[in-house]
Amino acid sequence: QVQLVESGGGLVQPGGSLGLSCAASGIIFGINAMGWFRQAPGKQREMVAAIYSDGRTNYAQIVEGRFTISRDNAKNTVFLQMNSLKPADTAVYYCNVNTGPEYSAKYDYWGQGTQVTVSS
């Protein structure tokens, strides 16, 4: 099956930058989409950014212009560059990959999560 390994989380000052990466390995039939979600304590998980097979991207409005998602298709890796970070960005960030014969939630795979803390 598919395994996702995330890295890049940590502690950063408000206004600072941080980069996340996620590499997918295992049995991959075809990547339909890759993205990042986050969940803060006591809150629902929310979509942060996604990139689709045709290269289109989608961002949550609250991160638009500050975060950039990109990918390396040869390495099945997705990146999230986070700039101008705010305390409200503090959360556990999860990598998501949709890979299968159709674009369906049943083909979603998730990373273990990496903590991002924005604090002065």
Side-chain angles (χ1 to χ4, degrees):
Q1 295 183 330
V2 179
Q3 182 177 4
L4 305 180
V5 179
E6 304 176 20
S7 63
L11 175 65
V12 66
Q13 298 286 321
S17 298
L18 203 61
L20 306 180
S21 66
C22 173
S25 62
I27 302 175
I28 302 175
F29 295 97
I31 296 177
N32 303 309
M34 307 183 79
W36 294 91
F37 292 70
R38 69 186 184 186
Q39 186 169 25
K43 297 183 178 180
Q44 296 289 330
R45 183 178 61 189
E46 62 180 356
M47 191 276 290
V48 177
I51 184 166
Y52 303 95
S53 60
D54 60 1
R56 291 181 297 111
T57 58
N58 187 33
Y59 296 92
Q61 187 175 12
I62 57 175
V63 307
E64 183 76 44
R66 298 189 296 119
F67 292 9
T68 302
I69 189 170
S70 61
R71 66 186 182 189
D72 184 336
N73 290 337
K75 297 181 179 180
N76 291 326
T77 301
V78 62
F79 307 92
L80 184 68
Q81 180 63 45
M82 303 182 291
N83 299 323
S84 301
L85 283 162
K86 306 174 181 179
D89 296 317
T90 296
V92 177
Y93 284 69
Y94 296 92
C95 175
N96 170 267
V97 174
N98 185 278
T99 173
E102 59 181 349
Y103 191 40
S104 170
K106 65 181 179 180
Y107 299 114
D108 276 341
Y109 296 87
W110 296 90
Q112 79 283 359
T114 184
Q115 177 70 49
V116 173
T117 302
V118 185
S119 176
S120 60

